[in-house]
Amino acid sequence: MTGNPRVRRSLAVLAAAGLALGAAACGSASDGGSAPGTPAADAAAPLDPAARVTISIDCQPPVNKPAERKQWAEDVEAFRQLHPNVTVVPKDGFPCEEPAAFTAQLKGRTQTDLFYSYLTDLDQAVDADAVEDISAYVNETSVPALKDIDPSVLATLEADGKLYGLPFSNYRMGLIYNRKLFQQAGLDPDKPPTTWDGIREAARRIAALGNGVNGYGDYSATNQGGWHYTAELYGLGGSMTTPDGRKAAFRTPEGRQVLQNLHDLRWTDNAMGATQGLKWPDLMTQMSTDKLGMYVGAPDDITYMVQTLKGNYADYGMGPMPGGRAALLGGNDYLFKKGLTPDQIKAGIAWIDFKFLTVGKGQFDYARTKNDGLPVGLPQPSFFTGASLAADNAAKAASATVPVANYAPYLATPVPGRTEPANAQQIYKILDTAVSAVLTDRDADLDKLLATAASQVDQVLANL
């Protein structure tokens, strides 16, 4: 989801310090190797070691993230040893992307050479003619793990058959649950429910513990009700919009079932409590104080509950997205600014591969991460498959600082990823109303709510 610093997953407080701050203007032909517009006939060839290249990169970690900042500086130095003629120039700033500023940067062409974006931002960048096609440069030589990157993740960076960026972090939503409450309710904490019927049964038993404990929780305000509605609809196999993005597509049995599930949990099972209108981080706050049994979320919610809300990693687990048909996929990437030279593109790809896409290096150097006091073992990023996934899991387990077994149900049942709909925020705002109505009115007319929401979404999409 976009528009919220948590929901938009500013995991990408990733990036760094210690980068050379060359005085030369970034991105100019004088320091970018071959001139912009040079035919990319040799695009598949490795970066010329003699080419002097400067690339600017945003999303440098803030000073209040000293471990991440230190790691980036270390990686920049290690990268410089491999590519002594490449100068990396950072741009500090947090949050890494602010929607209004991002739009202004695209319009004014003021973004960095490699610029941070969310996986839902590509259409905007392409429409602004602000992003470079890097298809010819990306192969198993420049990105050795390419064959093992989940196609559903790469697809978020493709438009009209062209590739415009590379991922560095992502998440798939699933069921987050409180293992302590599962045990108290006589439920097996190693076997979370995978269906909505199973969730209802577990939620009733958890709510029966009393003392203000709720079995299940959900958001219904500040666009997050619509965001969770979308995630739950994907789990049941539904779609928010038609394939061309021009019409609503959730006025279906699956779309109705999402509302019915929430209605039944709230009113039939009395498992959600009377307080509604919840928004981020209300669900995490409830779970970290052992007042909530389950909710739909992403793995880094657990880190927030521990690091910010003083919870305990041992108390939380994850299971696959209920329904299992698809899981809402989100995350972050780097896009390449329009007009970069071939050498700048190659240098940018080399840096991203080194820092973000190589098992055992950069963000996947788990021994270093453990030594720096950062958590190791959460199932995120989750874009590797095949041999890279196996190697990453082994390395993660070897340095784990969190109980990786708690996420085994999530990892053992991989669910295909699916990105948010285009124009997500406008759509989510509309669906907030439907979700809120179901959770606050026992007699809410589900069909009427869906019809109204679909009509309003159609109007929004028609005016874009």
Side-chain angles (χ1 to χ4, degrees):
M1 170 177 172
T2 54
N4 178 286
R6 176 65 179 158
V7 171
R8 292 190 63 160
R9 303 296 160 196
S10 297
L11 297 157
V13 174
L14 287 164
L19 311 190
L21 298 176
C26 300
S28 66
S30 62
D31 61 11
S34 49
T38 299
D42 65 342
L47 174 66
D48 181 355
R52 300 188 65 84
V53 186
T54 297
I55 50 173
S56 57
I57 303 174
D58 61 2
C59 198
Q60 180 181 7
V63 294
N64 64 351
K65 296 286 185 180
E68 292 91 334
R69 197 171 180 97
K70 176 189 78 71
Q71 290 181 359
W72 183 286
E74 292 170 349
D75 289 337
V76 168
E77 176 56 26
F79 183 75
R80 189 185 67 79
Q81 295 296 324
L82 294 174
H83 304 280
N85 288 320
V86 177
T87 299
V88 181
V89 180
K91 179 182 177 181
D92 199 348
F94 185 79
C96 292
E97 180 188 327
E98 193 281 317
F102 182 77
T103 298
Q105 289 166 357
L106 295 181
K107 184 177 181 179
R109 300 293 194 272
T110 59
Q111 73 271 35
T112 50
D113 297 330
L114 275 63
F115 61 100
Y116 171 98
S117 78
Y118 303 104
L119 294 182
T120 52
D121 288 337
L122 180 60
D123 287 346
Q124 181 182 359
V126 171
D127 290 344
D129 194 28
V131 63
E132 189 71 46
D133 174 11
I134 63 170
S135 306
Y137 299 86
V138 177
N139 51 59
E140 291 185 17
T141 298
S142 60
V143 182
L146 183 64
K147 66 180 182 302
D148 286 341
I149 297 177
D150 188 332
S152 68
V153 176
L154 285 178
T156 66
L157 296 166
E158 297 173 346
D160 299 323
K162 299 176 181 178
L163 181 69
Y164 291 96
L166 290 169
F168 67 85
S169 185
N170 76 308
Y171 68 90
R172 283 181 176 79
M173 294 182 73
L175 184 72
I176 297 178
Y177 62 99
N178 187 307
R179 291 173 58 88
K180 184 189 300 184
L181 293 179
F182 264 56
Q183 291 175 319
Q184 292 176 7
L187 299 164
D188 187 342
D190 295 326
K191 294 181 179 179
T194 59
T195 66
W196 285 99
D197 285 343
I199 287 174
R200 288 185 62 191
E201 171 60 25
R204 285 193 294 266
R205 293 176 63 173
I206 293 170
L209 295 172
N211 196 32
V213 172
N214 294 320
Y216 184 80
D218 222 327
Y219 294 130
S220 56
T222 63
N223 294 15
Q224 292 160 51
W227 173 51
H228 272 207
Y229 177 92
T230 301
E232 293 161 19
L233 178 65
Y234 285 178
L236 295 176
S239 298
M240 288 300 291
T241 63
T242 54
D244 61 9
R246 296 179 181 274
K247 301 278 286 185
F250 53 81
R251 193 180 176 189
T252 61
E254 295 83 6
R256 190 183 192 283
Q257 189 62 49
V258 174
L259 296 183
Q260 188 69 57
N261 291 337
L262 295 175
H263 177 276
D264 292 346
L265 280 158
R266 170 71 176 93
W267 301 107
T268 304
D269 304 330
N270 294 314
M272 293 184 71
T275 301
Q276 297 301 323
L278 303 179
K279 58 185 182 300
W280 184 91
D282 293 339
L283 297 178
M284 287 173 275
T285 301
Q286 290 181 8
M287 183 165 286
S288 68
T289 54
D290 298 328
K291 296 298 184 183
L292 178 63
M294 298 172 286
Y295 75 96
V296 167
D300 63 323
D301 282 10
I302 296 173
T303 296
Y304 182 84
M305 287 191 286
V306 173
Q307 294 185 346
T308 302
L309 302 176
K310 310 307 180 185
N312 188 326
Y313 280 115
D315 292 340
Y316 312 120
M318 278 202 74
M321 189 67 203
R325 298 290 298 278
L328 190 146
L329 168 73
N332 329 96
D333 59 77
Y334 274 111
L335 300 177
F336 288 64
K337 183 179 181 179
K338 185 80 169 185
L340 296 185
T341 69
D343 284 339
Q344 285 178 303
I345 294 172
K346 291 180 182 181
I349 292 170
W351 165 250
I352 292 174
D353 177 67
F354 180 85
K355 175 65 175 171
F356 302 120
L357 300 177
T358 301
V359 175
K361 295 182 179 180
Q363 69 171 329
F364 297 110
D365 183 348
Y366 297 121
R368 177 181 67 174
T369 300
K370 179 179 180 179
N371 289 338
D372 288 338
L374 298 172
V376 177
L378 290 171
Q380 188 173 311
S382 60
F383 50 65
F384 282 138
T385 63
S388 294
L389 175 61
D392 183 55
N393 284 341
K396 188 180 293 182
S399 295
T401 62
V402 304
V404 294
N406 290 7
Y407 318 118
Y410 175 83
L411 293 171
T413 311
V415 178
R418 187 170 182 181
T419 55
E420 297 173 272
N423 308 298
Q425 293 311 300
Q426 298 95 316
I427 294 173
Y428 293 167
K429 183 177 181 179
I430 291 168
L431 267 298
D432 267 4
T433 301
V435 173
S436 179
V438 168
L439 295 178
T440 56
D441 180 3
R442 179 191 296 271
D443 299 319
D445 187 328
L446 307 190
D447 294 313
K448 184 177 180 180
L449 289 170
L450 274 186
T452 299
S455 176
Q456 292 174 346
V457 169
D458 284 347
Q459 292 175 17
V460 167
L461 297 179
N463 293 328
L464 292 174

